[in-house]
Amino acid sequence: MRRPPAQLCLALLAIAALFPGALLAAPPVAGPTPAPLASPGTPGGLPSAGPYTPPPPTPGARTSPSAVPSAVGMPSATPTGALVKYSGQLLDVRGGFVFFTSGDGFRLAPNVTTVDYKTGKPTSRPAETGLYAVATFTPNGEVVQLAISPAPVLAEASYEAVRPFVVLGSTTVVNPELAPGKEALSGRPVPVTFTVLVPPTTKLDQPVYIETDKGNWDPQQYKLDRIDALHFRVTLRLDSGTHFLYRYSRGSATTIERNRSDMEVPPRNFFVKELDVYNQDDTVYHWADDPVNGGGSTNPGPDNVPTPFSANPFPFPTPPIPPGKGGLPSPPPIGPPPPLPTPH
């Protein structure tokens, strides 16, 4: 076997040092170099390329979202005109608007539908106060669907996404009772003390109350404290500018106060002024259940109060009225005047 010359071996070692791997595909020196296999349809006899496989991404390199399919977990871009969904607790639905407890109101579309949140099917359940709803907005800000739920639900959009759709409030109208004038009313709490003088027929174990139109005339709305035999008192903290009607009672509709003539009393009119404190003194002359012209008793007025000089100013029972015409005593007979004395 013939050996290659030493110069050729040195040249091959130099090439291998400069270009690693360049001689790996070289044919053995001892045998003839095989000819490359030609593939049909490939110019120059080169093999045809197989399917292209993209290289793995380089760690730390930024990838365009459009190059990554949404199935991998990245959200796709929201298309223009997509519906926005926002949830909250309902306050009221009326007049073509829906109001949430946050104080925001939104306009309802003419074709708005109400569905069940869990099933997504139409429901006949009205959108009542206290329920929760998912409002679906169109791009122009109208609610086209309300999904009703008895429990809170998560919103698919933030409040900032629906804030431009909030209906602006109406023009502010100043309460005439709180309008600035001669007496500026701030609406701050004012301690108002009500003191009432009751008739002597009020028993010591009977309570006294104040009822108002603001409390739907509840005969036991405010209970007063007894401070002596005939006086009751209570202190209420009322906002300045408050206006209401009131009257006294002993706790029921049959024990409301009466006037001096034992007739029904019209409600008292009260307005809280801008003061540090306020005292209101009243007098009750009769109760509706006091005995009148019967029952062996009379209705004494508040002026007939027992004193050390008059321990019993209203005697019980009432002395009988002498018989006569109309219940009055008969007038004495009218006769001639007595004779004048004879002068001496």
Side-chain angles (χ1 to χ4, degrees), residues 63-326:
T63 307
S64 173
S66 59
V68 182
S70 59
V72 216
M74 295 189 63
S76 57
T78 304
T80 305
L83 301 180
V84 178
K85 294 184 178 181
Y86 178 76
S87 68
Q89 189 174 21
L90 290 175
L91 179 64
D92 198 2
V93 178
R94 65 169 61 191
F97 297 90
V98 56
F99 301 92
F100 289 91
T101 53
S102 60
D104 301 311
F106 302 96
R107 188 182 303 276
L108 297 176
N111 58 341
V112 62
T113 58
T114 303
V115 300
D116 183 82
Y117 174 75
K118 290 186 177 180
T119 63
K121 297 180 180 180
T123 177
S124 58
R125 184 174 187 177
E128 299 174 335
T129 303
L131 295 178
Y132 295 85
V134 177
T136 303
F137 294 85
T138 58
N140 61 355
E142 292 184 341
V143 178
V144 293
Q145 185 184 83
L146 285 175
I148 307 300
S149 172
V153 292
L154 296 177
E156 299 182 16
S158 63
Y159 176 75
E160 296 299 327
V162 299
R163 187 175 183 179
F165 305 153
V166 175
V167 179
L168 298 179
S170 57
T171 306
T172 303
V173 178
V174 180
N175 187 338
E177 297 179 353
L178 300 178
K182 295 182 179 180
E183 295 182 358
L185 301 174
S186 63
R188 64 182 179 87
V190 177
V192 181
T193 300
F194 293 85
T195 304
V196 58
L197 173 65
V198 298
T201 55
T202 307
K203 299 181 180 179
L204 294 178
D205 60 345
Q206 292 178 339
V208 175
Y209 300 88
I210 290 179
E211 58 181 53
T212 69
D213 59 336
K214 301 295 185 183
N216 199 22
W217 297 114
D218 179 7
Q220 298 184 7
Q221 184 175 1
Y222 299 114
K223 184 178 180 180
L224 285 76
D225 299 321
R226 183 188 289 270
I227 57 177
D228 58 31
L230 298 178
H231 288 86
F232 288 79
R233 179 177 295 166
V234 67
T235 299
L236 305 176
R237 296 182 66 85
L238 305 173
D239 296 340
S240 64
T242 303
H243 171 256
F244 61 92
L245 305 176
Y246 74 100
R247 60 190 175 194
Y248 294 92
S249 76
R250 294 206 327 274
S252 66
T254 59
T255 59
I256 60 175
E257 61 174 315
R258 295 289 185 92
N259 60 12
R260 290 178 182 269
S261 303
D262 198 45
M263 303 295 291
E264 185 175 348
V265 177
R268 305 169 190 265
N269 197 337
F270 192 78
F271 181 79
V272 183
K273 300 179 180 180
E274 187 77 13
L275 300 173
D276 293 333
V277 293
Y278 189 82
N279 296 320
Q280 175 67 23
D281 297 327
D282 296 317
T283 299
V284 173
Y285 297 97
H286 298 288
W287 299 115
D289 60 343
D290 282 345
V292 179
N293 296 330
S297 63
T298 60
N299 281 321
D303 297 330
N304 296 330
V305 179
T307 64
F309 304 99
S310 179
N312 189 15
F314 35 90
F316 294 94
T318 304
I321 299 177
K325 186 176 181 180

